[in-house]
DNA sequence: TCCATTATTCAATAACTCTTGATATATTGA
DNA sequence: TCAATATATCAAGAGTTATTGAATAATGGA
């Protein structure tokens, strides 16, 4: 993943509706979820929903597949991982403090940053 | 770190000049670097430089400290870590594939995504 | 074929972001 | 105090992004 792809991915995620969409799709797992269900979950209506799902797909973070009348969206974990990996390794040079934050419980709750 | 802080941080990094500034400051380490040096390194002039450094500082990703005539900027690794940690843990639920990409060499070179 | 469902596209508008060049502020040394 | 250095701020303009409501397209069932 090169710099401009990373910027595209970060840009896609730097928006409330889209960040929530990704989170919802992560929970949905490999089965994915149809557009309407995602829209309902994050509270975005019809055209707005398509707009944001398209932005995530353009960035490569999710994929789409028609299934009868519905369009199923799924997280592309390899792409999300590549983006995070770029931040941690390429950008932060594998900094130990940054790496530590990737572990569960590191930055949670009261003690969090 | 809450959702809106994460969005602010992602938004700050989803820009070529600022992503390069952060990378430069990571390399500079704890000593940090003065604004002018950063601007020269990333190729941004005076006002543009201030604009982008301010954006990174507003997002909490870097700190500033006057030192005589210069203003020294430094990466706040805790904040960068918190952002990455949010993506990996809160947003991706600690997904194994995403976590694996945080390790050195995972997504480098030819085999990369 | 007709209708309902599901989702996308389009046009208009509002809001935000980035760049530029000019100006202003803070600090230091002569 | 004056000039030089280092940086920040301001105003205008171009470009981009997000929202809305209406219209369009694709699919499946009566």
């Amino acid at each position: 993943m090169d710099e401009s792809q990373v910027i595209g991915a970060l840009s896609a995620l730097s928006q409330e509706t889209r960040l929530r969409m990704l989170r919802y799709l992560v929970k949905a797992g490999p089965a994915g979820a149809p557009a309407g269900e995602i829209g309902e979950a994050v509270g975005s209506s019809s055209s707005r929903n398509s707009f944001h799902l398209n932005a995530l797909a353009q960035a490569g973070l999710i994929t789409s597949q028609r299934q009868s009348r519905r369009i199923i969206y799924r997280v592309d974990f390899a792409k999300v991982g590549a983006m995070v990996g770029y931040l941690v390794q390429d950008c932060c040079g594998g900094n130990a403090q940054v790496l530590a934050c990737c572990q569960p419980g590191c930055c949670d709750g009261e003690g969090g940053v």
Side-chain angles (χ1 to χ4, degrees), chain A:
Chain A
M1 192 176 247
D2 64 22
E3 190 190 59
S4 75
Q5 285 179 295
V6 171
I7 289 171
L10 291 169
S11 182
L13 286 187
S14 65
Q15 209 278 350
E16 197 179 20
T17 300
R18 292 195 293 261
L19 190 59
R20 289 177 182 174
M21 283 173 155
L22 189 81
R23 200 200 313 268
Y24 186 78
L25 285 174
V26 165
K27 280 201 218 116
E37 186 184 311
I38 302 167
E40 197 163 333
V42 306
S44 86
S45 56
S46 197
S47 68
R48 213 169 133 231
N49 205 42
S50 286
F51 175 79
H52 289 300
L53 285 170
N54 182 57
L56 287 168
Q58 282 295 116
L61 297 171
I62 65 176
T63 60
S64 68
Q65 181 189 27
R66 181 174 281 277
Q67 208 165 87
S68 165
R69 266 189 283 213
R70 318 193 149 167
I71 306 227
I72 307 298
Y73 286 91
R74 293 183 181 84
V75 174
D76 185 336
F77 285 103
K79 290 280 172 54
V80 175
M83 180 196 74
V84 173
Y86 186 96
L87 288 177
V88 174
Q89 294 297 333
D90 293 57
C91 192
C92 288
N95 178 276
Q97 193 172 359
V98 173
L99 259 173
C101 292
C102 298
Q103 294 313 308
C106 170
C107 299
D108 293 359
E110 305 301 313
V113 179

